[in-house]
Amino acid sequence: MKDYKIFEIYPHFSCNQKCIHCFNGEDFRKNNKGLSFEKISKSLFKMRKKGCDWLSILGGEPTVYSDIFKTLSLAKKLGYERIMTFSNGIKYSDFSFAKRMKEEGLTDTCISVHGDSAELHEFITQVKGSFKAVLKAVENLKKLKINITFIIVINRRNYKFLPRMVKKFVSLGVKNYMIFALKYQGRMSASGYKQAAVNLSEAFSKIDETFKIFNKNNLKFPTLLHVTPCILPKYHKNLDNYKPKESSMLIQDGKEYGLKSAHKGFMFLSSCRQCVFYDGCSGFDPGYAKIFGTKEFKPVKKLKRVSF
């Protein structure tokens, strides 16, 4: 696979779901109204000249951004080879909308899904019918040959069912995945943690069983996010925040940041310096530590050879 240079933009933080674990809190949303298309345009030009050829559009929900079609069209004209949205999938359940997104330049989309049933998924989204919309979105996106990646966010309700969820989604023809642990900010730092929080060791307790499903289906094992390598040492090569690749981000203050800014304020223990992963580790979330403490984060002093 080509080694792309990624540029991420966050055009706004509006959304058509009310996920209890969203890391964008209510005050944050009120104080960050969105970027103008003019600002986005200038940044697209600038970062393309710097060699960026993969555009990721996040949020909020990018599909409800008022200038989403114009943004895709410009990125395509500028020569971004891959153009991706990070979405909840609701808008893609409308075939005409999905088709227009494809025509304007969309090549890929990541869809967040939180369960293999309406009960599990909609417990998080707080929107009735959102699970049915995801299934319809997959159907539409496959017809249009838009690459689909499922983002599975692990929470207290669904972590035990991770293997079952993967089996279900693989049967739908979804081949690419990312598995997220929760971030303890925004709604999660307000009230969401009471309903969704789970410690990392429990959250990933089914990961070996899940690996076997990917292996059996000859699928690439997914990227794992928001978890430190000391929790999952044998999967360290799959961790997004272990030796993260450099990329650039455009967020609501209109300034561009490097990827490492996403981990600003993360913590290390004094014992972390003894860990074989220390140099490439981004640390752990202090919001998580307030709830679960730091006993899980133990230095790995020797990396065992693991053959899958």
Side-chain angles (χ1 to χ4, degrees):
M1 179 179 175
K2 178 178 176 179
D3 190 14
Y4 291 92
K5 189 173 182 180
I6 300 172
F7 180 39
E8 297 182 352
I9 62 173
Y10 294 73
H12 69 179
F13 291 101
S14 298
C15 192
N16 50 358
Q17 287 190 162
K18 302 174 184 178
C19 296
I20 62 175
H21 66 213
C22 184
F23 58 79
N24 298 322
E26 305 313 319
D27 289 341
F28 181 83
R29 291 174 193 275
K30 290 177 183 177
N31 296 324
N32 294 276
K33 298 299 183 182
L35 294 166
S36 67
F37 179 66
E38 179 183 8
K39 176 59 187 175
I40 289 175
S41 300
K42 289 179 179 178
S43 293
L44 287 176
F45 275 102
K46 178 181 176 181
M47 300 311 294
R48 185 71 187 98
K49 286 183 178 179
K50 288 187 175 183
C52 290
D53 50 6
W54 180 327
L55 175 66
S56 288
I57 310 173
L58 303 93
E61 172 55 42
T63 60
V64 298
Y65 176 56
S66 59
D67 289 316
I68 187 63
F69 295 138
K70 290 165 65 177
T71 301
L72 295 177
S73 180
L74 178 59
K76 182 179 179 180
K77 289 175 182 176
L78 291 175
Y80 285 88
E81 296 176 30
R82 297 187 74 175
I83 303 173
M84 171 186 283
T85 58
F86 282 68
S87 174
N88 57 40
I90 289 178
K91 292 278 283 182
Y92 291 121
S93 64
D94 178 349
F95 184 80
S96 61
F97 176 85
K99 185 172 183 288
R100 176 77 185 277
M101 292 286 280
K102 167 82 172 183
E103 291 168 349
E104 298 295 353
L106 187 71
T107 62
D108 300 75
T109 192
C110 294
I111 296 180
S112 296
V113 60
H114 314 298
D116 57 349
S117 66
E119 179 185 5
L120 279 175
H121 182 75
E122 293 169 15
F123 162 73
I124 290 291
T125 68
Q126 299 291 289
V127 174
K128 189 174 181 179
S130 54
F131 182 68
K132 183 178 180 180
V134 166
L135 298 182
K136 186 62 178 177
V138 170
E139 181 183 324
N140 291 340
L141 293 164
K142 286 177 66 179
K143 285 180 181 178
L144 293 165
K145 297 183 179 179
I146 294 171
N147 299 317
I148 305 168
T149 297
F150 263 12
I151 295 175
I152 301 175
V153 182
I154 300 178
N155 60 67
R156 186 191 302 169
R157 291 286 187 95
N158 69 12
Y159 78 91
K160 294 179 181 179
F161 309 115
L162 182 60
R164 189 185 79 186
M165 290 164 61
V166 170
K167 284 182 180 179
K168 166 79 171 180
F169 302 148
V170 169
S171 73
L172 296 177
V174 179
K175 297 181 179 180
N176 300 307
Y177 296 81
M178 289 189 272
I179 299 177
F180 280 55
L182 296 162
K183 290 183 75 173
Y184 289 79
Q185 62 186 65
R187 288 179 183 151
M188 273 299 291
S189 63
S191 59
Y193 75 93
K194 295 177 182 178
Q195 299 171 289
V198 59
N199 69 54
L200 290 169
S201 298
E202 281 188 279
F204 288 93
S205 60
K206 299 291 184 178
I207 203 68
D208 288 343
E209 187 179 344
T210 304
F211 175 87
K212 291 177 182 177
I213 296 169
F214 283 97
N215 197 37
K216 181 179 179 180
N217 288 277
N218 296 312
L219 296 176
K220 180 182 177 183
F221 192 70
T223 302
L224 309 173
L225 294 92
H226 309 155
V227 57
T228 55
C230 61
I231 300 293
L232 295 173
K234 70 180 181 180
Y235 295 101
H236 68 278
K237 292 182 180 179
N238 298 91
L239 304 184
D240 180 72
N241 58 330
Y242 177 63
K243 295 184 177 179
K245 292 182 179 179
E246 193 54 55
S247 67
S248 298
M249 299 183 291
L250 175 68
I251 57 176
Q252 296 302 293
D253 61 7
K255 297 179 181 178
E256 288 145 10
Y257 296 87
L259 179 64
K260 291 181 181 178
S261 299
H263 304 294
K264 187 177 181 181
F266 275 28
M267 295 175 61
F268 289 94
L269 303 174
S270 58
S271 59
C272 291
R273 292 185 176 275
Q274 304 169 31
C275 185
V276 295
F277 298 116
Y278 178 71
D279 289 341
C281 184
S282 299
F284 58 89
D285 184 350
Y288 175 89
K290 284 182 181 179
I291 298 172
F292 295 107
T294 62
K295 291 183 179 180
E296 286 176 287
F297 305 106
K298 299 177 181 178
V300 178
K301 297 185 179 180
K302 186 176 180 180
L303 185 59
K304 298 179 180 179
R305 288 187 178 183
V306 179
S307 58
F308 294 121

